[in-house]
Amino acid sequence: MKPKILVTREVFSEALNFLGQHFDVTPNQADTPMSPEVLATALADMEGALTTLSERIDEALLAKCPKLKAVCNIAVGYNNIDLKACHARGVMATNTPGVLDDSTADFTWALILATARRVTEAEQYLRAGKWTGWKLKQFLGTDVHHATLGILGMGRVGQAVARRARGFEMTVLYHNTRRLSAEIEKSCHAAYVSMDELLARADILTVHTPYSPATHHLLGATQMAKMKSTAILINAARGGVIDDAALVAALKQGALAGAGLDVFENEPSLHPGFLKLSNVVLTPHVASSSEATRRRMAMLAAENLVAALTTGKPPNLLHPPV
Ligand code: DGY
């Protein structure tokens, strides 16, 4: 008998077909989000799960799923998974690193340019039939070229964002828990600075840290107060790293010039203040969503699940935090 697995959300057919060669698969191609209760019932008899960041995998759930051996997330981020609880119960957890760096970096640039040059605001104006002709002072934006780009979190995505900044002849500064090697700094044309210097000097500050208790509200009112009032804040990493209420207040007061956000605290709910502001560009957590990349993410997660349940050694096994 093949092991039983659950695929919690809709996936591409090639991933489903691949899983079907190894497992008795319960898919969710209707893509209905599962409440914790529904998920627990659906997983009660399963050995494996292909999950997304919408499902919370915690001790309360694991306690109801005694047969579960592996949870394979279709995401590089895994803040929806309690790794300690998984480890304690002998459940393997995996993510999808490496396959989405470039697409996420591309999209970060889409947010930078759209926010600095007010692209969505100008388009909405035009679509609303308000454009009566060229004006010298219309939609004056902020120049990206030759500006100072600050990168908070210099992992794979942060580095990919930095490399793209060369084309705009920018000064690139970064802050990270650990300073990178001189070789990587050189290849990214990026200089390491303290958090305070990053906040004070960045014209555009882009966030690329994972979300964890250590990064919760890493950018709050205190940090925003240290930034230039002309600065733009970008987040295509994880909600919760920025204090959304503090950001709304800073944007309203003119303490920051704008923000480009793909991720939010408590998503899919948004802080209502964002919707009233014209100087924010808002997108629904799609930074990695090119067709090729999302296909690769789903396939890598499926490969992790097959390896986990057949060899016990998935390529992207996550270890619990020390
Ligand atoms: C990730 O991989 O963590 C992305 O946020 C998913 O879109």
Side-chain angles (χ1 to χ4, degrees), residues 152-153 175 177 195 199 207-224 240-243:
L152 181 57
H175 183 74
T177 40
M195 176 78 167
L199 294 170
V207 177
H208 298 286
T209 62
Y211 179 73
S212 71
T215 60
H216 177 73
H217 287 186
L218 191 59
L219 290 175
T222 310
Q223 292 71 28
M224 289 172 204
V241 178
I242 293 177
D243 178 342

Side-chain angles (χ1 to χ4, degrees), residues 88-143:
R89 289 192 172 267
V91 175
M92 291 171 270
T94 67
N95 68 341
T96 60
V99 294
L100 50 84
D101 306 339
D102 283 318
S103 298
T104 305
D106 287 353
F107 195 85
T108 300
W109 276 96
L111 284 178
I112 290 172
L113 290 165
T115 309
R117 299 303 307 275
R118 304 173 65 182
V119 174
T120 54
E121 199 186 339
E123 190 192 357
Q124 278 160 16
Y125 175 86
L126 186 144
R127 282 180 185 270
K130 293 180 182 167
W131 191 33
T132 53
W134 189 91
K135 286 183 193 166
L136 187 65
K137 291 185 176 177
Q138 206 158 40
F139 290 106
L140 299 174
T142 301
D143 275 329

Side-chain angles (χ1 to χ4, degrees), residues 53 73-79 96 100 104 236-238 262-263 267 285-289 294 297:
L53 48 86
N73 228 23
I74 310 175
V76 67
Y78 49 86
N79 52 299
T96 60
L100 50 84
T104 305
R238 270 294 178 278
D262 185 50
V263 288
E267 60 185 55
H285 203 144
V286 290
S288 63
S289 192
R294 287 279 166 99
M297 289 165 67

Side-chain angles (χ1 to χ4, degrees), residues 283-316:
T283 52
H285 203 144
V286 290
S288 63
S289 192
S290 73
E291 173 146 5
T293 292
R294 287 279 166 99
R295 281 185 188 275
R296 270 188 230 118
M297 289 165 67
M299 202 48 159
L300 182 54
E303 286 163 5
N304 274 311
L305 190 49
V306 170
L309 295 187
T310 55
T311 68
K313 290 195 175 119
N316 304 116

